[in-house]
Amino acid sequence: MSATPLRDDPLLRRLDAALAQVNQVLLGKPRQVKLAFACLIAGGHLLLEDVPGVGKTTLAHALAATFSLDFQRVQFTSDLLPSDIIGVSVYERETAQFRFHPGPIFAGLLLADEINRATPKTQSALLEAMAEGQVTVDGQTHALPVPFYVVATQNPLDLNGTFALPDSQLDRFMLRISLGYPDAGAERALLTGSDRRGLLAQLQPQLDGTSLLELQRRAQAITTSQALLDYLQALLAASRRHTEIRVGLSPRAGLSLLAAARSWALLSGRNHVLPEDLQALFVPLAGHRLVPSRGSSGEALARELLAEVAVD
């Protein structure tokens, strides 16, 4: 990030340090790291979709360590039950009452590893948590920690024994990103450098939950002009009338895009949102929400929408 007057703020200097630390672990992926930070600062959940071995789990670990978030990892499998994630009420003979035993979802950052290997019933256990920051067990509502994030991974190529995420589940993820293979320089550094597990163990917290909530507050105060809102609405409207899109972007998607763009502007050292911020976030935000009417991918349609909608 370029130096700006905003970077004189101690909290934003710590944010710079946090970005630099994660980039030292996940080499050669500064844009994807910035997208992940924008998602968390905007209060959203993150879906990492890519082939195995490119650093999805490493990124989740690095985010939790850098933001000092209580971290829990759940390996999703076909026999995983909702209670394995949420928790269960156990009858205690001494008190003649049921006592709730929290599951791993009661964490600052939950890594749902290979989420599409679990059945739809187990996947749905995350819906209330991701939308409302709470879970309900036996009629009792239990609040989750604040902040609370889900970072989920899935492999788009291995379809054996997997269950595609339904639209309602996909919509809970603010951004979906792919890390991709490293370039030659980053791969050489990986081959000759320290083991990633060792680096993760050495990571130091650069921010904490309180700092993250303050960053969210500051991002929400980032200025958006009427012209920018016109551009955002034009993108939403274009997605709803496109002939090859069966289901366009909802108002909730528009709110998520605006929140992510404000966070992107904050990370870029600005106190106002530019059309370029919306453009940087549009494909990761819209690609998994658009439902094609034919064989096109959501990402391709999102890029097509960006090319079609002009900035006034």
Side-chain angles (χ1 to χ4, degrees):
M1 288 181 290
S2 60
T4 70
L6 284 181
R7 311 327 284 185
D8 293 334
D9 185 291
L11 178 59
L12 296 184
R13 288 201 300 269
R14 290 167 59 196
L15 178 59
D16 286 342
L19 272 167
Q21 176 168 272
V22 177
N23 278 311
Q24 288 174 358
V25 177
L26 198 71
L27 299 178
K29 301 297 176 183
R31 181 176 180 275
Q32 288 88 336
V33 170
K34 187 177 178 180
L35 285 168
F37 271 64
C39 186
L40 265 61
I41 293 173
H45 306 289
L46 182 64
L47 179 61
L48 302 173
E49 183 177 279
D50 218 321
V51 296
V54 295
K56 301 186 297 294
T57 302
T58 298
L59 175 58
H61 275 280
L63 289 172
T66 299
F67 283 98
S68 191
L69 296 171
D70 180 30
F71 178 80
Q72 292 286 345
R73 175 181 178 178
V74 177
Q75 181 65 49
F76 278 55
T77 57
S78 59
D79 59 350
L80 190 73
L81 299 175
S83 58
D84 295 328
I85 304 170
I86 295 174
V88 63
S89 294
V90 177
Y91 182 77
E92 294 185 340
R93 186 177 302 174
E94 296 80 5
T95 61
Q97 293 180 335
F98 283 91
R99 180 182 176 187
F100 177 64
H101 292 257
I105 200 170
F106 287 83
L109 192 150
L110 173 70
L111 172 58
D113 213 1
E114 296 185 301
I115 188 173
N116 56 338
R117 288 191 177 277
T119 63
K121 180 179 181 179
T122 301
Q123 292 176 12
S124 67
L126 295 174
L127 289 175
E128 181 185 11
M130 295 173 69
E132 303 177 34
Q134 64 182 34
V135 295
T136 302
V137 180
D138 297 331
Q140 297 293 319
T141 299
H142 306 272
L144 293 171
V146 178
F148 165 73
Y149 299 103
V150 173
V151 176
T153 72
Q154 65 175 1
N155 178 2
L157 300 181
D158 182 9
L159 301 179
N160 293 326
T162 61
F163 303 86
L165 299 181
D167 293 342
S168 59
Q169 181 74 66
L170 285 172
D171 191 52
R172 297 300 196 276
F173 291 101
M174 178 175 282
L175 300 181
R176 180 179 68 176
I177 64 176
S178 296
L179 298 179
Y181 294 114
D183 59 29
E187 190 165 40
R188 179 61 62 91
L190 283 170
L191 293 171
T192 59
S194 302
D195 182 77
R196 298 298 101 180
R197 288 172 293 184
L199 289 178
L200 286 172
Q202 297 172 15
L203 293 182
Q204 298 296 318
Q206 302 297 326
L207 296 160
D208 56 21
T210 302
S211 302
L212 187 50
L213 293 175
E214 174 61 18
L215 287 170
Q216 291 178 6
R217 186 192 67 78
R218 295 192 187 188
Q220 291 168 3
I222 294 287
T223 303
T224 54
S225 67
Q226 292 301 312
L228 182 116
L229 294 177
D230 290 341
Y231 178 51
L232 190 155
Q233 285 191 284
L235 287 169
L236 298 178
S239 75
R240 297 163 188 166
R241 63 172 180 260
H242 197 289
T243 57
E244 294 187 15
I245 298 176
R246 181 162 54 87
V247 178
L249 298 175
S250 67
R252 179 163 60 186
L255 290 169
S256 295
L257 178 56
L258 186 59
R262 283 180 164 134
S263 298
W264 189 266
L266 180 71
L267 287 163
S268 301
R270 283 182 276 102
N271 58 9
H272 58 281
V273 179
L274 297 175
E276 289 83 353
D277 300 326
L278 295 178
Q279 293 164 354
L281 275 300
F282 189 70
V283 174
L285 184 136
H288 62 290
R289 289 181 166 90
L290 296 173
V291 179
S293 58
R294 302 180 191 176
S296 300
S297 69
E299 290 83 356
L301 290 170
R303 294 188 184 92
E304 188 175 323
L305 290 172
L306 280 179
E308 290 179 356
V309 179
V311 180
D312 294 331

